[in-house]
Amino acid sequence: MINNRLLAVASYINHEKLADIGSDHAYLPIYAIEQRKVKRAIAGEVVQGPYMAAVENVKKYNLDNKIDVRLGNGLEVIEQNEVDCITICGMGGPLISEILHNGQDKLTNFPTLILQSNIHTEAVRNKLIALGYMIKDEVIMKERKHVYEIIVAERNDRGVTYNDIELKFGPVLLTKKDEVFYEKWLREYHHLTTVYDAIKSEEKHVEKAAEILNDINILQEVLNIEYS
């Protein structure tokens, strides 16, 4: 029923009550309940169509008594201290960050956050730090030609800090640097070098060229490659 991306997210769920924000067809909450990863769940959806699909799916699996499907925007579908785990999957990093920012009053009990972004994951890491979280684990994976990143975050009760490189690439992913990590950032590296070579001699693009060159230098360092 659920794809590899959501299976990877589900592998980190071992809680009492889950809130899946942007739940679509409620596949993740249904799986989490059936696999006894949680006792109860909330499936939150802001769009009427997917909300109705989630309602029907929960009925289909006879889980009405364990999964509460709620229509609402972001974390407004949950009450304070109601859940101990929140998943937000299948969105861009800036949107996930916005959801966390707008609903930060629902994070005062520091539920575990399992966040899967499609793009611009750096925005998620920056927001997590601002909200008092630390990054416990990270996964980068590929499915159907798309690269996804998963972040597992918990309360930062140890005063952990991250530098700019760690926020951009992921503190845990930097220690792994697996095949998908290299594929993603090599693609970005080749894109930037192509753009830089095209504009580096144009006076009107001098600031942009300098900015891109700085990004290229950072990628060289992270990927341990040379730019000629």
Side-chain angles (χ1 to χ4, degrees):
M1 182 177 70
I2 67 174
N3 54 31
N4 289 334
R5 173 173 55 90
L6 292 181
L7 279 173
V9 169
S11 70
Y12 290 99
I13 301 173
N14 183 21
H15 298 77
E16 289 292 314
K17 190 169 183 179
L18 164 73
D20 184 39
I21 306 303
S23 195
D24 200 5
H25 288 66
Y27 291 141
L28 184 58
I30 290 169
Y31 179 83
I33 291 287
E34 289 195 326
Q35 296 299 314
R36 298 184 179 179
K37 291 176 171 291
V38 289
K39 294 177 181 175
R40 294 186 58 79
I42 296 164
E45 183 54 62
V46 70
V47 181
Q48 185 72 30
Y51 164 76
M52 292 306 300
V55 170
E56 290 302 315
N57 226 14
V58 169
K59 283 181 182 177
K60 174 183 171 184
Y61 285 87
N62 297 312
L63 291 173
D64 308 63
N65 61 332
K66 292 187 176 180
I67 300 176
D68 189 4
V69 184
R70 300 178 185 175
L71 183 65
N73 190 14
L75 301 187
E76 72 177 26
V77 299
I78 62 174
E79 302 298 325
Q80 279 189 326
N81 305 318
E82 187 178 14
V83 300
D84 60 348
C85 181
I86 296 173
T87 51
I88 310 177
C89 305
M91 304 180 197
L95 179 54
I96 293 175
S97 302
E98 183 182 335
I99 290 170
L100 294 175
H101 178 79
N102 292 341
Q104 57 188 295
D105 60 314
K106 308 296 176 61
L107 303 175
T108 52
N109 63 322
F110 289 93
T112 299
L113 301 178
I114 309 171
L115 313 168
Q116 179 268 301
S117 67
N118 302 339
I119 53 171
H120 304 310
T121 311
E122 183 178 1
V124 178
R125 297 188 185 99
N126 279 301
K127 180 53 63 178
L128 288 171
I129 305 316
L131 293 172
Y133 276 84
M134 60 176 281
I135 295 169
K136 183 183 177 184
D137 202 2
E138 294 178 301
V139 175
I140 187 168
M141 62 182 295
K142 190 176 181 182
E143 189 171 71
R144 295 181 182 176
K145 297 184 179 179
H146 294 289
V147 173
Y148 304 98
E149 292 182 36
I150 299 167
I151 297 176
V152 183
E154 294 183 345
R155 183 176 188 166
N156 188 2
D157 51 10
R158 294 185 295 178
V160 176
T161 59
Y162 303 102
N163 60 38
D164 290 345
I165 299 290
E166 289 171 322
L167 290 171
K168 182 177 179 66
F169 297 94
V172 178
L173 295 180
L174 280 167
T175 66
K176 300 176 182 177
K177 289 188 182 179
D178 62 15
E179 185 179 339
V180 181
F181 179 91
Y182 272 100
E183 181 181 339
K184 173 183 176 174
W185 292 111
L186 275 172
R187 188 187 306 123
E188 175 69 3
Y189 174 77
H190 291 310
H191 168 70
L192 289 178
T193 55
T194 300
V195 174
Y196 178 72
D197 287 340
I199 68 171
K200 63 183 179 183
S201 58
E202 297 181 25
E203 193 172 332
K204 64 180 179 180
H205 292 309
V206 62
E207 287 186 14
K208 183 65 176 176
E211 190 180 301
I212 292 173
L213 184 58
N214 181 62
D215 289 340
I216 289 172
N217 289 335
I218 291 170
L219 282 165
Q220 282 180 261
E221 181 183 338
V222 169
L223 300 173
N224 194 27
I225 53 178
E226 292 185 8
Y227 173 56
S228 54

